[in-house]
Amino acid sequence: MRRDKESKSAPIGVITKVLQILETLNDSPTGMSLKDIAEKTALNKTTAYRVLSHLAQERYVFRDPGGAYAIGVRLARLGSGASYQATLRKISRPMLEELAQITGETISLAVLEGREVLYLDVIESAHTFRQVSHIGMRHPLYCTALGKAMLAYYPEGEQEYLLSGVTFERFTAHTITCAANLQKELSMIRRRGYSLDNEEVYLGSRCIGAPIFDDSNEVMAALSVSGPTTRVTRKAVSIFAAAARRAATEVSKSLAAGSHSFVAGPTPRQQNVSLASTRTWRAHEIKYPSQ
C-alpha cells in the first residue's frame, strides 16, 4: 500500500522540480549556470542537471556554448512573443558575433511584426563610417534586405496578404514601388538564397539579408550585413552573402536542435561555404579604405 502511494506521488515531485527550474529560468532571460540554478531552486546539482538535460533534449531549455541555460525555443513558443524573441536573440548571438568579425560591418537580426521589420539585435561596425541601426527599430518589409529575405520564403497566400496592405513609399530613386517588381525580386531571392537592399532605404548604403528557418523549415527571422557602398561593394556582395547565409544556416540548425534535414535556401553550393573559408576570402579580396 505504501508503495502505491509513493508511485503516485513521485511524478508530482518531478513536476515540481521541473516547474521550479522553468520559473527560475523565466526570471533570467540572459541565462543561468547549473550552479546558480541549483542554488536558486534549492535542488542538488545532480538532480538539477538531470532535469535540465532532459528539458534540453526536448528543446524546452537551451544550453549555450558557455554552459548557461535559458528558456528554449519550444517552450518560448508557448509563451509570449517577448520570450520567444529573447530566446532567438540568445541562440543567434554567437553566430552574429562571428559574422561581425568576418565582415567588419553592422549585423542585424529581425523578425516580421505585422508588415514591418522589427530589429531584435544589432552589432554595430567598429568603422567610424557605418550603417547605424538599433534594437527596436522598424522598417517597411518591401525595401529592406531583412524584410525581403523573410517575405521571399512566405507561402504565396501569405505574401499576397502582407503585400495587399503595403503602401509603397519611395525613400530613394532605387526603392521598389510596386508589388509586381517586388514579386520578381522575391523570386530571384529564392533562387540565389539571399536578399539585397541596394540603396533602397538610404543612399550610399547596401545591405545583404539571409533567412532563418525553424525546425519545420518555415521562415521565422532573418539576419543581415550592412554598410556603406564604398566597403560593401558589388564585388563584395557574393562574399558577404555566402557568410550571411552560412551564419543563418547555423542559427537555423541551433533552432532545430540538431536536425540534420534542414536546408536553408535553394543553392547548396553556397551553403557549403564555411565561415572559415569566407574569412580567408575577406582577407584576400576585399580592400577597405583607410578610416
Side-chain angles (χ1 to χ4, degrees):
M1 198 66 172
R2 181 178 298 171
R3 190 179 297 114
D4 290 340
K5 288 183 177 180
E6 288 176 353
S7 64
K8 290 179 180 179
S9 63
I12 302 301
V14 172
I15 291 171
T16 299
K17 293 180 177 66
V18 169
L19 292 176
Q20 283 178 314
I21 289 174
L22 293 179
E23 288 175 357
T24 299
L25 290 177
N26 189 58
D27 293 335
S28 182
T30 58
M32 296 180 69
S33 68
L34 173 61
K35 179 183 177 182
D36 290 341
I37 293 169
E39 290 179 354
K40 188 76 173 179
T41 58
L43 299 172
N44 65 61
K45 287 180 66 174
T46 301
T47 300
Y49 177 77
R50 186 168 61 249
V51 174
L52 286 164
S53 295
H54 183 73
L55 290 172
Q57 183 178 351
E58 297 298 323
R59 304 201 307 276
Y60 288 107
V61 162
F62 169 73
R63 187 170 185 260
D64 69 19
Y69 293 89
I71 293 296
V73 173
R74 195 170 183 182
L75 186 62
R77 283 176 176 167
L78 301 177
S80 66
S83 295
Y84 185 62
Q85 290 171 8
T87 298
L88 178 58
R89 282 198 302 270
K90 184 170 182 60
I91 290 175
S92 303
R93 246 297 160 154
M95 283 67 89
L96 300 183
E97 290 174 349
E98 185 165 6
L99 185 59
Q101 291 177 0
I102 290 168
T103 63
E105 299 299 340
T106 296
I107 308 300
S108 301
L109 173 73
V111 294
L112 277 187
E113 188 166 276
R115 291 179 172 86
E116 293 182 310
V117 173
L118 172 64
Y119 287 68
L120 299 185
D121 202 358
V122 176
I123 301 176
E124 285 198 356
S125 168
H127 291 287
T128 303
F129 183 45
R130 63 182 182 268
Q131 176 74 43
V132 177
S133 302
H134 59 83
I135 295 172
M137 185 170 70
R138 295 172 183 269
H139 275 311
L141 64 86
Y142 66 90
C143 58
T144 56
L146 288 162
K148 288 187 286 186
M150 289 182 277
L151 188 60
Y153 291 92
Y154 269 62
E156 184 177 348
E158 293 183 41
Q159 280 187 12
E160 292 177 355
Y161 169 75
L162 288 168
L163 293 179
S164 67
V166 168
T167 300
F168 288 90
E169 180 181 352
R170 184 182 293 278
F171 295 99
T172 75
H174 305 283
T175 307
I176 294 176
T177 55
C178 73
N181 288 341
L182 180 58
Q183 287 288 4
K184 291 179 182 178
E185 182 157 348
L186 296 180
S187 296
M188 185 183 299
I189 292 167
R190 289 192 295 272
R191 289 196 299 272
R192 69 190 178 194
Y194 66 88
S195 60
L196 280 176
D197 161 10
N198 273 314
E199 303 184 81
E200 293 177 50
V201 181
Y202 302 111
L203 287 175
S205 173
R206 184 169 287 127
C207 184
I208 302 151
I212 294 170
F213 299 86
D214 64 12
D215 57 355
S216 300
N217 208 29
E218 295 183 1
V219 67
M220 52 164 298
L223 57 79
S224 68
V225 180
S226 57
T229 54
T230 53
R231 291 197 303 268
V232 186
T233 62
R234 293 188 181 277
K235 181 180 179 181
V237 165
S238 62
I239 301 167
F240 284 176
R245 293 194 66 238
R246 181 61 183 175
T249 297
E250 293 303 317
V251 175
S252 300
K253 286 180 177 178
S254 294
L255 291 171
S259 171
H260 298 293
S261 61
F262 170 78
V263 177
T267 53
R269 185 175 64 82
Q270 286 188 345
Q271 186 178 341
N272 291 332
V273 177
S274 68
L275 289 177
S277 63
T278 307
R279 186 183 293 110
T280 302
W281 291 348
R282 176 194 171 200
H284 287 86
E285 296 190 25
I286 303 177
K287 305 297 183 183
Y288 291 96
S290 58
Q291 297 300 302

